Amino acid sequence: MTTKKNEKELEKLQGRFEALKKSLLKLNHVAQGTITERWIEKEDPNRPGEKKKLGPYFQWTFKRKGKTVTVNLSSNQAEIYRKAIEENRTLNVIIDELRDISTEILERSTEGVKKRKKKNETH
């Protein structure tokens, strides 16, 4: 049995669902993983006893077919991949909310299994 209140709530949920679908179209490239900035310290051949810092070096680490993969990136690539990783996080948030709203809409708009009435137990 749907009520006016339930219909209004369903409309509101459906509106949010449609807005989230549109937000998917605004996403750019997506990538999973993390970017790590690394530096290497080594003995300076021109100044014995002093360390020389080299870098930064950028690495993208992600999973492919269950295995961890690490790829070295240029600084330009690292910036582009960082944006793609952030877009992936946004994608995941949107998908989680789409699932939650879908569940709510389905529960409110479909009729479930009729529950049996409990028998009055008298002893």
Side-chain angles (χ1 to χ4, degrees):
M1 182 172 97
T2 58
T3 63
K4 287 275 189 197
K5 181 181 175 186
N6 192 36
E7 286 177 21
K8 289 273 189 202
E9 289 171 358
L10 278 170
E11 281 179 29
K12 186 177 175 183
L13 287 167
Q14 192 62 44
R16 178 66 182 145
F17 186 84
E18 293 302 321
L20 287 167
K21 284 186 353 184
K22 287 179 184 174
S23 67
L24 289 173
L25 298 174
K26 296 176 185 173
L27 292 175
N28 207 338
H29 296 102
V30 295
Q32 293 182 311
T34 57
I35 303 291
T36 306
E37 186 175 308
R38 301 210 185 275
W39 296 83
I40 298 173
E41 282 190 13
K42 68 178 207 173
E43 188 79 27
D44 188 339
N46 299 326
R47 298 180 181 162
E50 290 188 30
K51 300 258 182 195
K52 186 176 183 178
K53 199 172 188 180
L54 304 172
Y57 299 100
F58 299 95
Q59 293 180 319
W60 171 41
T61 304
F62 63 100
K63 293 279 188 179
R64 180 184 287 152
K65 296 181 182 178
K67 302 214 178 207
T68 301
V69 178
T70 300
V71 177
N72 293 321
L73 303 174
S74 68
S75 59
N76 186 46
Q77 283 178 305
E79 189 55 38
I80 293 167
Y81 278 70
R82 273 191 187 103
K83 289 176 184 173
I85 290 167
E86 187 56 40
E87 289 287 87
N88 187 65
R89 290 184 185 119
T90 301
L91 173 65
N92 287 330
V93 168
I94 293 169
I95 288 172
D96 287 345
E97 191 171 350
L98 282 169
R99 284 185 183 123
D100 291 344
I101 291 172
S102 292
T103 300
E104 186 73 21
I105 289 171
L106 291 169
E107 287 174 351
R108 288 173 180 257
S109 64
T110 60
E111 192 172 324
V113 174
K114 302 260 189 235
K115 294 182 182 179
R116 291 187 209 174
K117 293 181 180 177
K118 292 184 180 180
K119 293 180 182 177
N120 288 336
E121 294 181 7
T122 54
H123 292 276

